[in-house]
Amino acid sequence: MALRFNTVIFDMDGTLLDTLDDLADATNHALNTYGYEKRTRDEIRSFVGNGVGLLIRRALPESADENEYQKVLEEFKKYYAVHCNDKTGIYDGISELMKKLKEAGAFIAVVSNKIDSAVQELGELYFPENVDFFIGERAGMKRKPEPDMINEVLRASGRGTDKAVYIGDSEVDIQTAVNSGLSGISVSWGFRDRDFLKVKGAEIIADNTDQVFQVITLDSFAKVFFRLYDRKLCSGEITFSETGMKKDDFTRLCIDEGYVLPYEEISRLCSRMHLTEFETDLMLSFAEKE
């Protein structure tokens, strides 16, 4: 199977694993230990993404001093080291997605701002066979959205950036892909919703793992176009004339898999074909913005 991306790098929390309840329990345990008011699950959802240090800073009131911050942070780390998998679970379809990507020849990695020991423990528990490399927050290495950990993955894979993709669920992950020079896929099932991700500049937003697989394995604009066009044509939703496409462009797509329409023409074509937001983003991802 041809792959558009042969190095696939995943975020962990909110992308592969639903870790929110364990993060919330650890945060509230640490806060309660030192007499601070507990935070709601939704509040903690909004705090995660930049590592446990910022999670605790955001959870504490502004009046907390550095000494209090350090004590609460250490209590969080101590508690979470023991309880990082009490309520955590893998999202639907993730295991199957990884298995298919591995069978297709992808190098698969997990990069997280979570404490490295927890990344290694959860990684080995949930993904013992299909992930080639795990890395979490370590001393001397900058957290996402800085590219340090991504660069470590690329060194381990021995493959370049041009066929690597980064997949995550937050604004931090979007910026990580940008800072690393990688294509990015955002997922809507995690800690941030679709509207938020769109505002933050998400290139493609997948609502399920089948859509992630499509982005990674449909390696040309022509393949994407004909898959969607044939489906619309067979269902009677559209005729060729209704696409407004020039016959010369259609013919070239038939014989030249590397051919891509201009960005604005693709945008108009997607509108005339009544494509979904995901389908439109997928088509547009092959074009250079004008």
mmCIF file of all heavy atoms in Angstrom, residues 166-213:
data_model
loop_
_atom_site.group_PDB
_atom_site.id
_atom_site.type_symbol
_atom_site.label_atom_id
_atom_site.label_comp_id
_atom_site.label_asym_id
_atom_site.label_seq_id
_atom_site.Cartn_x
_atom_site.Cartn_y
_atom_site.Cartn_z
ATOM 1 N N TYR A 166 2.158 14.704 11.882
ATOM 2 C CA TYR A 166 1.942 14.744 13.328
ATOM 3 C C TYR A 166 0.446 14.853 13.606
ATOM 4 O O TYR A 166 -0.245 15.701 13.022
ATOM 5 C CB TYR A 166 2.680 15.931 13.951
ATOM 6 C CG TYR A 166 2.507 15.968 15.442
ATOM 7 C CD1 TYR A 166 3.193 15.074 16.259
ATOM 8 C CD2 TYR A 166 1.617 16.855 16.039
ATOM 9 C CE1 TYR A 166 3.004 15.081 17.626
ATOM 10 C CE2 TYR A 166 1.428 16.864 17.409
ATOM 11 C CZ TYR A 166 2.123 15.970 18.198
ATOM 12 O OH TYR A 166 1.922 15.964 19.557
ATOM 13 N N ILE A 167 -0.044 14.015 14.522
ATOM 14 C CA ILE A 167 -1.477 13.904 14.792
ATOM 15 C C ILE A 167 -1.753 14.226 16.254
ATOM 16 O O ILE A 167 -1.165 13.612 17.144
ATOM 17 C CB ILE A 167 -1.978 12.482 14.462
ATOM 18 C CG1 ILE A 167 -1.655 12.117 13.013
ATOM 19 C CG2 ILE A 167 -3.483 12.363 14.731
ATOM 20 C CD1 ILE A 167 -1.849 10.647 12.689
ATOM 21 N N GLY A 168 -2.653 15.183 16.504
ATOM 22 C CA GLY A 168 -2.967 15.544 17.874
ATOM 23 C C GLY A 168 -4.342 16.164 18.010
ATOM 24 O O GLY A 168 -5.074 16.317 17.029
ATOM 25 N N ASP A 169 -4.680 16.550 19.235
ATOM 26 C CA ASP A 169 -6.046 17.005 19.511
ATOM 27 C C ASP A 169 -6.120 18.431 20.028
ATOM 28 O O ASP A 169 -7.203 18.879 20.413
ATOM 29 C CB ASP A 169 -6.684 16.075 20.554
ATOM 30 C CG ASP A 169 -6.065 16.265 21.932
ATOM 31 O OD1 ASP A 169 -4.834 16.088 22.061
ATOM 32 O OD2 ASP A 169 -6.798 16.619 22.880
ATOM 33 N N SER A 170 -5.006 19.164 20.026
ATOM 34 C CA SER A 170 -5.034 20.488 20.659
ATOM 35 C C SER A 170 -4.303 21.534 19.841
ATOM 36 O O SER A 170 -3.637 21.224 18.846
ATOM 37 C CB SER A 170 -4.394 20.403 22.054
ATOM 38 O OG SER A 170 -2.976 20.303 21.937
ATOM 39 N N GLU A 171 -4.407 22.782 20.316
ATOM 40 C CA GLU A 171 -3.683 23.878 19.679
ATOM 41 C C GLU A 171 -2.178 23.707 19.818
ATOM 42 O O GLU A 171 -1.405 24.135 18.954
ATOM 43 C CB GLU A 171 -4.130 25.217 20.270
ATOM 44 C CG GLU A 171 -3.725 25.490 21.691
ATOM 45 C CD GLU A 171 -4.611 24.835 22.746
ATOM 46 O OE1 GLU A 171 -5.383 23.910 22.415
ATOM 47 O OE2 GLU A 171 -4.531 25.256 23.911
ATOM 48 N N VAL A 172 -1.742 23.062 20.889
ATOM 49 C CA VAL A 172 -0.315 22.775 21.067
ATOM 50 C C VAL A 172 0.177 21.844 19.962
ATOM 51 O O VAL A 172 1.268 22.023 19.407
ATOM 52 C CB VAL A 172 -0.062 22.147 22.458
ATOM 53 C CG1 VAL A 172 1.404 21.735 22.602
ATOM 54 C CG2 VAL A 172 -0.448 23.117 23.558
ATOM 55 N N ASP A 173 -0.642 20.865 19.616
ATOM 56 C CA ASP A 173 -0.264 19.918 18.568
ATOM 57 C C ASP A 173 -0.236 20.576 17.192
ATOM 58 O O ASP A 173 0.631 20.261 16.362
ATOM 59 C CB ASP A 173 -1.224 18.729 18.581
ATOM 60 C CG ASP A 173 -1.176 17.967 19.898
ATOM 61 O OD1 ASP A 173 -0.063 17.662 20.344
ATOM 62 O OD2 ASP A 173 -2.231 17.699 20.477
ATOM 63 N N ILE A 174 -1.163 21.472 16.940
ATOM 64 C CA ILE A 174 -1.160 22.211 15.669
ATOM 65 C C ILE A 174 0.141 22.993 15.529
ATOM 66 O O ILE A 174 0.811 22.947 14.489
ATOM 67 C CB ILE A 174 -2.368 23.156 15.587
ATOM 68 C CG1 ILE A 174 -3.672 22.352 15.527
ATOM 69 C CG2 ILE A 174 -2.255 24.075 14.371
ATOM 70 C CD1 ILE A 174 -4.925 23.196 15.708
ATOM 71 N N GLN A 175 0.528 23.687 16.599
ATOM 72 C CA GLN A 175 1.746 24.494 16.560
ATOM 73 C C GLN A 175 2.989 23.612 16.512
ATOM 74 O O GLN A 175 4.004 23.980 15.904
ATOM 75 C CB GLN A 175 1.806 25.425 17.761
ATOM 76 C CG GLN A 175 2.853 26.523 17.632
ATOM 77 C CD GLN A 175 2.621 27.399 16.408
ATOM 78 O OE1 GLN A 175 1.508 27.868 16.182
ATOM 79 N NE2 GLN A 175 3.667 27.612 15.620
ATOM 80 N N THR A 176 2.931 22.448 17.138
ATOM 81 C CA THR A 176 4.058 21.517 17.090
ATOM 82 C C THR A 176 4.351 21.088 15.663
ATOM 83 O O THR A 176 5.512 21.042 15.231
ATOM 84 C CB THR A 176 3.764 20.275 17.958
ATOM 85 O OG1 THR A 176 3.564 20.676 19.316
ATOM 86 C CG2 THR A 176 4.913 19.274 17.898
ATOM 87 N N ALA A 177 3.306 20.768 14.916
ATOM 88 C CA ALA A 177 3.491 20.388 13.514
ATOM 89 C C ALA A 177 4.114 21.537 12.726
ATOM 90 O O ALA A 177 5.059 21.336 11.948
ATOM 91 C CB ALA A 177 2.157 19.967 12.907
ATOM 92 N N VAL A 178 3.608 22.748 12.947
ATOM 93 C CA VAL A 178 4.144 23.920 12.245
ATOM 94 C C VAL A 178 5.620 24.124 12.584
ATOM 95 O O VAL A 178 6.463 24.305 11.702
ATOM 96 C CB VAL A 178 3.330 25.184 12.605
ATOM 97 C CG1 VAL A 178 4.010 26.430 12.042
ATOM 98 C CG2 VAL A 178 1.907 25.070 12.082
ATOM 99 N N ASN A 179 5.941 24.095 13.870
ATOM 100 C CA ASN A 179 7.316 24.339 14.315
ATOM 101 C C ASN A 179 8.285 23.260 13.844
ATOM 102 O O ASN A 179 9.489 23.513 13.719
ATOM 103 C CB ASN A 179 7.374 24.433 15.839
ATOM 104 C CG ASN A 179 6.683 25.665 16.377
ATOM 105 O OD1 ASN A 179 6.369 26.589 15.625
ATOM 106 N ND2 ASN A 179 6.429 25.690 17.671
ATOM 107 N N SER A 180 7.759 22.069 13.596
ATOM 108 C CA SER A 180 8.596 20.940 13.168
ATOM 109 C C SER A 180 8.669 20.799 11.656
ATOM 110 O O SER A 180 9.385 19.932 11.148
ATOM 111 C CB SER A 180 8.061 19.635 13.775
ATOM 112 O OG SER A 180 7.972 19.717 15.181
ATOM 113 N N GLY A 181 7.902 21.625 10.934
ATOM 114 C CA GLY A 181 7.889 21.543 9.481
ATOM 115 C C GLY A 181 7.168 20.324 8.954
ATOM 116 O O GLY A 181 7.454 19.837 7.855
ATOM 117 N N LEU A 182 6.181 19.821 9.723
ATOM 118 C CA LEU A 182 5.436 18.624 9.329
ATOM 119 C C LEU A 182 4.009 18.971 8.922
ATOM 120 O O LEU A 182 3.452 19.988 9.340
ATOM 121 C CB LEU A 182 5.371 17.620 10.486
ATOM 122 C CG LEU A 182 6.664 17.145 11.114
ATOM 123 C CD1 LEU A 182 6.361 16.029 12.103
ATOM 124 C CD2 LEU A 182 7.664 16.677 10.076
ATOM 125 N N SER A 183 3.407 18.091 8.133
ATOM 126 C CA SER A 183 1.969 18.161 7.924
ATOM 127 C C SER A 183 1.286 17.764 9.229
ATOM 128 O O SER A 183 1.852 17.019 10.039
ATOM 129 C CB SER A 183 1.548 17.211 6.801
ATOM 130 O OG SER A 183 2.114 17.607 5.574
ATOM 131 N N GLY A 184 0.064 18.255 9.429
ATOM 132 C CA GLY A 184 -0.638 17.961 10.667
ATOM 133 C C GLY A 184 -2.052 17.474 10.449
ATOM 134 O O GLY A 184 -2.717 17.874 9.493
ATOM 135 N N ILE A 185 -2.499 16.586 11.316
ATOM 136 C CA ILE A 185 -3.886 16.143 11.360
ATOM 137 C C ILE A 185 -4.390 16.404 12.780
ATOM 138 O O ILE A 185 -3.740 15.998 13.749
ATOM 139 C CB ILE A 185 -4.040 14.645 11.044
ATOM 140 C CG1 ILE A 185 -3.441 14.300 9.678
ATOM 141 C CG2 ILE A 185 -5.520 14.235 11.098
ATOM 142 C CD1 ILE A 185 -3.371 12.801 9.407
ATOM 143 N N SER A 186 -5.507 17.084 12.904
ATOM 144 C CA SER A 186 -6.134 17.279 14.208
ATOM 145 C C SER A 186 -7.305 16.308 14.337
ATOM 146 O O SER A 186 -7.968 15.999 13.348
ATOM 147 C CB SER A 186 -6.635 18.716 14.362
ATOM 148 O OG SER A 186 -5.566 19.634 14.339
ATOM 149 N N VAL A 187 -7.559 15.834 15.550
ATOM 150 C CA VAL A 187 -8.690 14.935 15.790
ATOM 151 C C VAL A 187 -9.688 15.618 16.709
ATOM 152 O O VAL A 187 -9.309 16.353 17.629
ATOM 153 C CB VAL A 187 -8.228 13.588 16.384
ATOM 154 C CG1 VAL A 187 -7.237 12.906 15.446
ATOM 155 C CG2 VAL A 187 -7.613 13.758 17.776
ATOM 156 N N SER A 188 -10.963 15.383 16.447
ATOM 157 C CA SER A 188 -12.024 16.107 17.164
ATOM 158 C C SER A 188 -12.556 15.353 18.375
ATOM 159 O O SER A 188 -13.426 15.874 19.076
ATOM 160 C CB SER A 188 -13.184 16.390 16.202
ATOM 161 O OG SER A 188 -13.783 15.177 15.750
ATOM 162 N N TRP A 189 -12.040 14.148 18.635
ATOM 163 C CA TRP A 189 -12.601 13.354 19.733
ATOM 164 C C TRP A 189 -11.868 13.593 21.061
ATOM 165 O O TRP A 189 -12.204 12.986 22.070
ATOM 166 C CB TRP A 189 -12.558 11.861 19.404
ATOM 167 C CG TRP A 189 -11.187 11.312 19.117
ATOM 168 C CD1 TRP A 189 -10.190 11.037 20.022
ATOM 169 C CD2 TRP A 189 -10.665 10.956 17.833
ATOM 170 N NE1 TRP A 189 -9.083 10.546 19.374
ATOM 171 C CE2 TRP A 189 -9.347 10.475 18.041
ATOM 172 C CE3 TRP A 189 -11.189 10.979 16.537
ATOM 173 C CZ2 TRP A 189 -8.536 10.035 16.978
ATOM 174 C CZ3 TRP A 189 -10.390 10.543 15.489
ATOM 175 C CH2 TRP A 189 -9.085 10.069 15.711
ATOM 176 N N GLY A 190 -10.888 14.477 21.093
ATOM 177 C CA GLY A 190 -10.071 14.645 22.278
ATOM 178 C C GLY A 190 -10.480 15.777 23.183
ATOM 179 O O GLY A 190 -11.664 15.996 23.456
ATOM 180 N N PHE A 191 -9.490 16.562 23.634
ATOM 181 C CA PHE A 191 -9.711 17.573 24.666
ATOM 182 C C PHE A 191 -10.130 18.936 24.109
ATOM 183 O O PHE A 191 -10.399 19.862 24.878
ATOM 184 C CB PHE A 191 -8.443 17.745 25.506
ATOM 185 C CG PHE A 191 -8.042 16.508 26.270
ATOM 186 C CD1 PHE A 191 -6.765 16.396 26.806
ATOM 187 C CD2 PHE A 191 -8.928 15.466 26.463
ATOM 188 C CE1 PHE A 191 -6.386 15.269 27.514
ATOM 189 C CE2 PHE A 191 -8.569 14.328 27.176
ATOM 190 C CZ PHE A 191 -7.288 14.225 27.701
ATOM 191 N N ARG A 192 -10.147 19.108 22.778
ATOM 192 C CA ARG A 192 -10.589 20.352 22.151
ATOM 193 C C ARG A 192 -11.610 20.016 21.069
ATOM 194 O O ARG A 192 -11.463 19.010 20.369
ATOM 195 C CB ARG A 192 -9.409 21.106 21.516
ATOM 196 C CG ARG A 192 -8.245 21.374 22.457
ATOM 197 C CD ARG A 192 -8.562 22.449 23.473
ATOM 198 N NE ARG A 192 -7.358 22.843 24.200
ATOM 199 C CZ ARG A 192 -6.957 22.319 25.353
ATOM 200 N NH1 ARG A 192 -7.677 21.360 25.920
ATOM 201 N NH2 ARG A 192 -5.859 22.756 25.944
ATOM 202 N N ASP A 193 -12.617 20.860 20.885
ATOM 203 C CA ASP A 193 -13.647 20.552 19.891
ATOM 204 C C ASP A 193 -13.263 21.087 18.511
ATOM 205 O O ASP A 193 -12.293 21.835 18.348
ATOM 206 C CB ASP A 193 -15.021 21.057 20.327
ATOM 207 C CG ASP A 193 -15.097 22.574 20.481
ATOM 208 O OD1 ASP A 193 -14.359 23.293 19.768
ATOM 209 O OD2 ASP A 193 -15.895 23.043 21.307
ATOM 210 N N ARG A 194 -14.053 20.701 17.519
ATOM 211 C CA ARG A 194 -13.761 21.029 16.117
ATOM 212 C C ARG A 194 -13.684 22.535 15.880
ATOM 213 O O ARG A 194 -12.773 23.020 15.200
ATOM 214 C CB ARG A 194 -14.837 20.393 15.219
ATOM 215 C CG ARG A 194 -14.809 20.842 13.781
ATOM 216 C CD ARG A 194 -15.865 20.123 12.967
ATOM 217 N NE ARG A 194 -15.368 18.824 12.543
ATOM 218 C CZ ARG A 194 -14.603 18.627 11.478
ATOM 219 N NH1 ARG A 194 -14.222 19.660 10.743
ATOM 220 N NH2 ARG A 194 -14.206 17.426 11.146
ATOM 221 N N ASP A 195 -14.634 23.288 16.420
ATOM 222 C CA ASP A 195 -14.640 24.733 16.198
ATOM 223 C C ASP A 195 -13.378 25.378 16.754
ATOM 224 O O ASP A 195 -12.778 26.264 16.124
ATOM 225 C CB ASP A 195 -15.876 25.364 16.840
ATOM 226 C CG ASP A 195 -17.163 24.992 16.114
ATOM 227 O OD1 ASP A 195 -17.083 24.554 14.946
ATOM 228 O OD2 ASP A 195 -18.247 25.132 16.718
ATOM 229 N N PHE A 196 -12.963 24.964 17.928
ATOM 230 C CA PHE A 196 -11.755 25.503 18.550
ATOM 231 C C PHE A 196 -10.532 25.187 17.684
ATOM 232 O O PHE A 196 -9.687 26.059 17.435
ATOM 233 C CB PHE A 196 -11.577 24.910 19.943
ATOM 234 C CG PHE A 196 -10.360 25.404 20.684
ATOM 235 C CD1 PHE A 196 -10.438 26.519 21.494
ATOM 236 C CD2 PHE A 196 -9.139 24.740 20.565
ATOM 237 C CE1 PHE A 196 -9.313 26.980 22.177
ATOM 238 C CE2 PHE A 196 -8.015 25.194 21.235
ATOM 239 C CZ PHE A 196 -8.103 26.321 22.047
ATOM 240 N N LEU A 197 -10.430 23.954 17.209
ATOM 241 C CA LEU A 197 -9.289 23.542 16.393
ATOM 242 C C LEU A 197 -9.236 24.324 15.087
ATOM 243 O O LEU A 197 -8.159 24.706 14.620
ATOM 244 C CB LEU A 197 -9.366 22.039 16.103
ATOM 245 C CG LEU A 197 -9.199 21.123 17.312
ATOM 246 C CD1 LEU A 197 -9.562 19.682 16.944
ATOM 247 C CD2 LEU A 197 -7.777 21.191 17.862
ATOM 248 N N LYS A 198 -10.405 24.578 14.497
ATOM 249 C CA LYS A 198 -10.455 25.321 13.239
ATOM 250 C C LYS A 198 -9.948 26.743 13.447
ATOM 251 O O LYS A 198 -9.158 27.259 12.638
ATOM 252 C CB LYS A 198 -11.891 25.343 12.711
ATOM 253 C CG LYS A 198 -11.990 25.586 11.217
ATOM 254 C CD LYS A 198 -11.443 24.397 10.425
ATOM 255 C CE LYS A 198 -11.600 24.589 8.933
ATOM 256 N NZ LYS A 198 -11.017 23.482 8.171
ATOM 257 N N VAL A 199 -10.377 27.365 14.524
ATOM 258 C CA VAL A 199 -9.936 28.730 14.826
ATOM 259 C C VAL A 199 -8.424 28.777 15.029
ATOM 260 O O VAL A 199 -7.755 29.753 14.653
ATOM 261 C CB VAL A 199 -10.667 29.263 16.084
ATOM 262 C CG1 VAL A 199 -10.009 30.532 16.593
ATOM 263 C CG2 VAL A 199 -12.134 29.505 15.779
ATOM 264 N N LYS A 200 -7.874 27.713 15.595
ATOM 265 C CA LYS A 200 -6.442 27.658 15.871
ATOM 266 C C LYS A 200 -5.603 27.266 14.653
ATOM 267 O O LYS A 200 -4.382 27.124 14.759
ATOM 268 C CB LYS A 200 -6.171 26.693 17.025
ATOM 269 C CG LYS A 200 -6.714 27.167 18.364
ATOM 270 C CD LYS A 200 -6.064 28.476 18.803
ATOM 271 C CE LYS A 200 -6.576 28.949 20.142
ATOM 272 N NZ LYS A 200 -5.926 30.205 20.588
ATOM 273 N N GLY A 201 -6.258 27.071 13.502
ATOM 274 C CA GLY A 201 -5.504 26.842 12.276
ATOM 275 C C GLY A 201 -5.314 25.402 11.866
ATOM 276 O O GLY A 201 -4.399 25.097 11.088
ATOM 277 N N ALA A 202 -6.165 24.500 12.352
ATOM 278 C CA ALA A 202 -6.043 23.091 11.970
ATOM 279 C C ALA A 202 -6.160 22.929 10.460
ATOM 280 O O ALA A 202 -7.058 23.500 9.831
ATOM 281 C CB ALA A 202 -7.123 22.261 12.662
ATOM 282 N N GLU A 203 -5.266 22.155 9.873
ATOM 283 C CA GLU A 203 -5.252 21.929 8.431
ATOM 284 C C GLU A 203 -6.333 20.932 8.016
ATOM 285 O O GLU A 203 -7.101 21.171 7.093
ATOM 286 C CB GLU A 203 -3.878 21.408 8.010
ATOM 287 C CG GLU A 203 -3.730 21.122 6.522
ATOM 288 C CD GLU A 203 -2.365 20.560 6.175
ATOM 289 O OE1 GLU A 203 -1.504 20.473 7.053
ATOM 290 O OE2 GLU A 203 -2.172 20.175 5.000
ATOM 291 N N ILE A 204 -6.363 19.794 8.700
ATOM 292 C CA ILE A 204 -7.373 18.762 8.463
ATOM 293 C C ILE A 204 -7.857 18.285 9.822
ATOM 294 O O ILE A 204 -7.041 18.005 10.709
ATOM 295 C CB ILE A 204 -6.804 17.561 7.678
ATOM 296 C CG1 ILE A 204 -6.305 17.989 6.301
ATOM 297 C CG2 ILE A 204 -7.867 16.465 7.525
ATOM 298 C CD1 ILE A 204 -5.658 16.852 5.519
ATOM 299 N N ILE A 205 -9.168 18.176 9.999
ATOM 300 C CA ILE A 205 -9.734 17.675 11.251
ATOM 301 C C ILE A 205 -10.455 16.365 10.971
ATOM 302 O O ILE A 205 -11.405 16.325 10.184
ATOM 303 C CB ILE A 205 -10.705 18.687 11.879
ATOM 304 C CG1 ILE A 205 -10.015 20.037 12.104
ATOM 305 C CG2 ILE A 205 -11.253 18.147 13.207
ATOM 306 C CD1 ILE A 205 -10.940 21.131 12.592
ATOM 307 N N ALA A 206 -9.991 15.305 11.615
ATOM 308 C CA ALA A 206 -10.602 13.987 11.456
ATOM 309 C C ALA A 206 -11.550 13.719 12.617
ATOM 310 O O ALA A 206 -11.221 13.996 13.773
ATOM 311 C CB ALA A 206 -9.528 12.902 11.405
ATOM 312 N N ASP A 207 -12.718 13.177 12.288
ATOM 313 C CA ASP A 207 -13.715 12.868 13.318
ATOM 314 C C ASP A 207 -13.665 11.415 13.767
ATOM 315 O O ASP A 207 -14.329 11.052 14.733
ATOM 316 C CB ASP A 207 -15.118 13.189 12.796
ATOM 317 C CG ASP A 207 -15.306 14.676 12.528
ATOM 318 O OD1 ASP A 207 -14.819 15.490 13.339
ATOM 319 O OD2 ASP A 207 -15.920 15.026 11.506
ATOM 320 N N ASN A 208 -12.909 10.584 13.069
ATOM 321 C CA ASN A 208 -12.766 9.176 13.438
ATOM 322 C C ASN A 208 -11.476 8.629 12.846
ATOM 323 O O ASN A 208 -10.823 9.275 12.010
ATOM 324 C CB ASN A 208 -13.991 8.363 12.966
ATOM 325 C CG ASN A 208 -14.254 8.525 11.476
ATOM 326 O OD1 ASN A 208 -13.410 8.176 10.648
ATOM 327 N ND2 ASN A 208 -15.417 9.066 11.130
ATOM 328 N N THR A 209 -11.104 7.427 13.259
ATOM 329 C CA THR A 209 -9.823 6.861 12.828
ATOM 330 C C THR A 209 -9.839 6.458 11.352
ATOM 331 O O THR A 209 -8.776 6.431 10.716
ATOM 332 C CB THR A 209 -9.434 5.651 13.692
ATOM 333 O OG1 THR A 209 -10.499 4.685 13.667
ATOM 334 C CG2 THR A 209 -9.183 6.079 15.132
ATOM 335 N N ASP A 210 -10.992 6.158 10.793
ATOM 336 C CA ASP A 210 -11.061 5.864 9.354
ATOM 337 C C ASP A 210 -10.624 7.079 8.542
ATOM 338 O O ASP A 210 -9.940 6.940 7.521
ATOM 339 C CB ASP A 210 -12.482 5.452 8.948
ATOM 340 C CG ASP A 210 -12.840 4.050 9.412
ATOM 341 O OD1 ASP A 210 -11.919 3.272 9.717
ATOM 342 O OD2 ASP A 210 -14.043 3.732 9.476
ATOM 343 N N GLN A 211 -11.008 8.264 8.975
ATOM 344 C CA GLN A 211 -10.598 9.483 8.276
ATOM 345 C C GLN A 211 -9.098 9.718 8.419
ATOM 346 O O GLN A 211 -8.437 10.142 7.459
ATOM 347 C CB GLN A 211 -11.395 10.671 8.799
ATOM 348 C CG GLN A 211 -12.865 10.627 8.403
ATOM 349 C CD GLN A 211 -13.655 11.836 8.896
ATOM 350 O OE1 GLN A 211 -13.173 12.629 9.714
ATOM 351 N NE2 GLN A 211 -14.872 11.984 8.404
ATOM 352 N N VAL A 212 -8.537 9.442 9.583
ATOM 353 C CA VAL A 212 -7.083 9.545 9.749
ATOM 354 C C VAL A 212 -6.379 8.615 8.761
ATOM 355 O O VAL A 212 -5.409 9.003 8.108
ATOM 356 C CB VAL A 212 -6.667 9.195 11.193
ATOM 357 C CG1 VAL A 212 -5.143 9.145 11.317
ATOM 358 C CG2 VAL A 212 -7.244 10.212 12.182
ATOM 359 N N PHE A 213 -6.878 7.397 8.630
ATOM 360 C CA PHE A 213 -6.284 6.420 7.721
ATOM 361 C C PHE A 213 -6.347 6.911 6.272
ATOM 362 O O PHE A 213 -5.395 6.746 5.505
ATOM 363 C CB PHE A 213 -7.002 5.077 7.865
ATOM 364 C CG PHE A 213 -6.340 3.943 7.125
ATOM 365 C CD1 PHE A 213 -5.132 3.421 7.563
ATOM 366 C CD2 PHE A 213 -6.925 3.403 5.988
ATOM 367 C CE1 PHE A 213 -4.515 2.377 6.890
ATOM 368 C CE2 PHE A 213 -6.319 2.363 5.303
ATOM 369 C CZ PHE A 213 -5.110 1.844 5.757
#
